[in-house]
Amino acid sequence: MLKFRSIKWIIAVLLNVLLISCSKTGSIKIIETTDLHGMILPFDFIENESSDASLANVSSYIQTIRNNQEQVVLLDDGDNLQGQPVVYYYNFIDTVSDHILAGVFNYLKCDAVTAGNHDFEAGHPVYDRIKQQYDFPLLAANAVDVRTGEPYFKPYTIVNKGKFKIAVFGLVTPSIPEWLPPRLYSGIKFEGMVETARKWMPEILKQKPDLVVGLFHSGFNREEFESRKEQFLKEDGSAAVAYNVPGFDIILNGHDHKLANEKIVNADGDTVLMMNAGSRCRNIAEANVVFSKGHKKVISGKLIEVSDLEPDKEYISHFEKQSNTVHEYVDKVIGNSESTLSSRSSYFGPSAFISMVHKVQLEISGADVSFTAPLSFDVRIEEGPIKVSDMFKLYRYENMLYTMSLTGSEIKKYLEYSYGGWMNTMKGPAGNLLKFRTGKDGKPVVRDGKAWLDNQPYNFDSAEGIDYVVDVSKPEGERITISGLTGGKPFEMNTMYKVAVNSYRGSGGGGHLTEGVGLSQNDLAKRLITSTDKDLRFYILKYIESQGNIKPQSPKNWKIVPETWAKAAAQRDYALLFGEDK
């Protein structure tokens, strides 16, 4: 009997040894690009200059890996259909040819892409078309078809590379309804990231993958890490998923443009590699996975600067025709400006740069009041001929124009909120006018000779159509005094007015209408009167074409007081913000 048991034990050991010896060994690279925002060719079509970082550089790196017979999975984390004229042209101008982005990703033999919020911004006709042209799946498990209850895109895909089976699961930030008009994602609802990942993980694991990769167009919010809070509808929920949903080996992030390469420990005590390649193709995120006997995995990550890589000449040659077509489009002259326009002035008071957008919004909408902000931090359009490329400097995003209804008191609350996030409460002429990020000493933090604003400038809304004063000596919420409608008519707090805003703001983006005015998402929908069919950039372009010659002038409808305080502070803050004197 003892001898029989010994034989069984020996057989079991031999079988175990045989199993281990037959287990998969080897290595694989997981490459991520993210938030390209149109940087697919080595040229910036807005600034009219060559770029040292684009997918042309990535192509040369990928080819080197493949030539070395290494297994590579190429993934992208979305936000690619907005940002450069090269994608705008194939989104909205040439809608017959194959989209250049599909051509590029197919050329690179991409394995999967997750849809980003700016990809939804292009609208159904664009992302539905490009989805059909991709040779690989477009992912987003939590973008759900309201008719079927199933994901509108693929939830996950299994990528087979040699003997390895890699599961890639996609999620998109569920905050899209806060930024985009519903018609751009009609028929789609966005569910929570943690909730969705929990739903799909069991099915993914049934496929017995060698590696599970999350491809999330959502940032790595460290405040949520280990919080155990189930932030189902959080903008940047990648950390919450990593901690609360065991099963992932690697999570590749996007959306927040913040580089990341670190390991965290999830709720089960397992390690997850979190990586983010940043934005505009400045970096590649590379995860290296080594499989040893016993199916053990050693995972490490590194970030690669794309500017250090040589661009792929064959890639550039392959897309030369499309490049030339876009060059012709952006070089078209649409009008003439009698003076130079700069976004810099818009931070310190009334601005000709902003006033031109106000005029277009009021003319198109027929509204009483217009709200808008500088959508480009530091741009300049020179005196003289205006080209199509200049419109991408002036207005970077594909926002629609909304006409909404607000009472006079709500308009005042809106402005109080805007200037509250924009300007300090000054105690004298020696203070700062703008709100800067400050250190422990309370002074503005200066890096590379420049201070950083505490808020995004695209949230610095001013108004036209009304005359008002901003008193920065008063506390937030008590600064705005509206004297009347521009033209002399009285402004009444209880009267309902038509207001022009871009679709980002009208959907709740920035918090002006939600936190500032106090409207709910349901309220916003009820207050919407009309929306344009095309983006605001299109209408600004047409406005300049119709005018032929424009004379940009600063408006006279608002000012900052005390004027002597504001003037002195603006000189100092200008030097802080831009690293040079005015």
Side-chain angles (χ1 to χ4, degrees), residues 194-195 198 227-233 240 244:
V194 173
E195 174 187 17
R198 279 204 177 119
S227 67
R228 295 183 181 271
K229 294 179 181 177
E230 306 202 356
Q231 305 277 1
F232 288 163
L233 292 174
N244 291 296

Side-chain angles (χ1 to χ4, degrees), residues 167 169 197-198 200-202 204-205 209-214 216 241-251 266-273 297 299:
F169 175 69
R198 279 204 177 119
W200 287 98
M201 183 57 74
I204 292 170
L205 295 179
D210 300 298
L211 196 72
V212 180
V213 179
F216 300 167
V241 175
Y243 185 78
N244 291 296
V245 187
F248 292 100
D249 298 294
I250 302 167
I251 290 180
N266 67 18
D268 277 6
D270 297 323
T271 300
V272 183
L273 175 64
K297 293 178 289 223
I299 303 174

Side-chain angles (χ1 to χ4, degrees), residues 162-179:
K163 54 191 172 182
F164 300 112
K165 181 189 286 188
I166 298 95
V168 182
F169 175 69
L171 292 171
V172 64
T173 174
S175 296
I176 287 172
E178 298 175 19
W179 309 320

Side-chain angles (χ1 to χ4, degrees), residues 118-411:
H118 282 294
D119 301 324
F120 283 95
E121 186 177 83
H124 270 290
V126 179
Y127 57 78
D128 288 345
R129 171 166 59 104
I130 203 169
K131 179 176 69 171
Q132 299 302 318
Q133 295 173 4
Y134 283 156
D135 292 339
F136 52 85
L138 186 58
L139 308 178
N142 60 328
V144 176
D145 189 322
V146 296
R147 294 170 301 175
T148 64
E150 296 297 320
Y152 188 83
F153 307 97
K154 285 196 71 174
Y156 72 92
T157 185
I158 300 296
V159 179
N160 293 292
K161 294 290 179 178
K163 54 191 172 182
F164 300 112
K165 181 189 286 188
I166 298 95
V168 182
F169 175 69
L171 292 171
V172 64
T173 174
S175 296
I176 287 172
E178 298 175 19
W179 309 320
L180 301 182
R183 70 181 186 82
L184 295 179
Y185 55 89
S186 61
I188 300 174
K189 65 178 180 178
F190 298 92
E191 297 184 341
M193 293 177 62
V194 173
E195 174 187 17
T196 305
R198 279 204 177 119
K199 173 183 176 181
W200 287 98
M201 183 57 74
E203 179 175 323
I204 292 170
L205 295 179
K206 285 180 183 177
Q207 309 299 319
K208 297 183 179 179
D210 300 298
L211 196 72
V212 180
V213 179
L215 191 63
F216 300 167
H217 188 83
S218 177
F220 177 18
N221 186 338
R222 287 162 178 79
E223 293 179 1
E224 291 183 19
F225 174 52
E226 294 187 355
S227 67
R228 295 183 181 271
K229 294 179 181 177
E230 306 202 356
Q231 305 277 1
F232 288 163
L233 292 174
K234 195 71 175 176
E235 177 180 353
D236 292 319
S238 293
V241 175
Y243 185 78
N244 291 296
V245 187
F248 292 100
D249 298 294
I250 302 167
I251 290 180
L252 303 172
N253 308 288
H255 181 61
D256 63 0
H257 296 190
K258 296 177 182 177
L259 293 173
N261 178 23
E262 62 183 272
K263 292 182 178 180
I264 65 172
V265 178
N266 67 18
D268 277 6
D270 297 323
T271 300
V272 183
L273 175 64
M274 308 288 290
M275 300 196 76
N276 188 328
S279 68
R280 291 176 173 83
C281 215
R282 303 304 306 180
N283 292 273
I284 301 169
E286 178 181 288
N288 292 286
V289 185
V290 178
F291 296 90
S292 58
K293 291 182 178 181
H295 203 67
K296 292 181 180 178
K297 293 178 289 223
V298 176
I299 303 174
S300 61
K302 66 177 180 178
L303 298 170
I304 301 166
E305 288 192 27
V306 170
S307 60
D308 292 338
L309 307 172
E310 288 293 324
D312 184 344
K313 293 180 181 178
E314 290 186 12
Y315 174 103
I316 295 171
S317 176
H318 188 83
F319 297 103
E320 183 177 12
K321 182 180 178 181
Q322 292 96 320
S323 178
N324 290 338
T325 298
V326 178
H327 271 292
E328 291 177 12
Y329 169 66
V330 297
D331 287 342
K332 179 184 176 183
V333 175
I334 59 172
N336 184 77
S337 177
E338 292 191 4
S339 61
T340 296
L341 283 167
S342 172
S343 63
R344 291 188 175 190
S345 61
S346 59
Y347 303 109
F348 308 100
S351 159
F353 183 89
I354 299 300
S355 185
M356 187 168 72
V357 180
H358 278 307
K359 283 181 171 56
V360 174
Q361 292 191 166
L362 289 169
E363 183 175 296
I364 294 171
S365 65
D368 304 298
V369 180
S370 168
F371 290 125
T372 195
L375 296 190
S376 301
F377 169 64
D378 185 13
V379 297
R380 182 182 177 93
I381 300 173
E382 298 293 341
E383 176 185 352
I386 302 174
K387 297 180 179 181
V388 169
S389 59
D390 293 320
M391 293 302 94
F392 287 83
K393 294 180 185 178
L394 177 69
Y395 211 95
R396 286 192 175 271
Y397 302 105
E398 274 77 74
N399 294 318
M400 309 300 172
L401 177 63
Y402 275 11
T403 306
M404 304 183 73
S405 57
L406 294 178
T407 65
S409 63
E410 289 171 338
I411 289 170

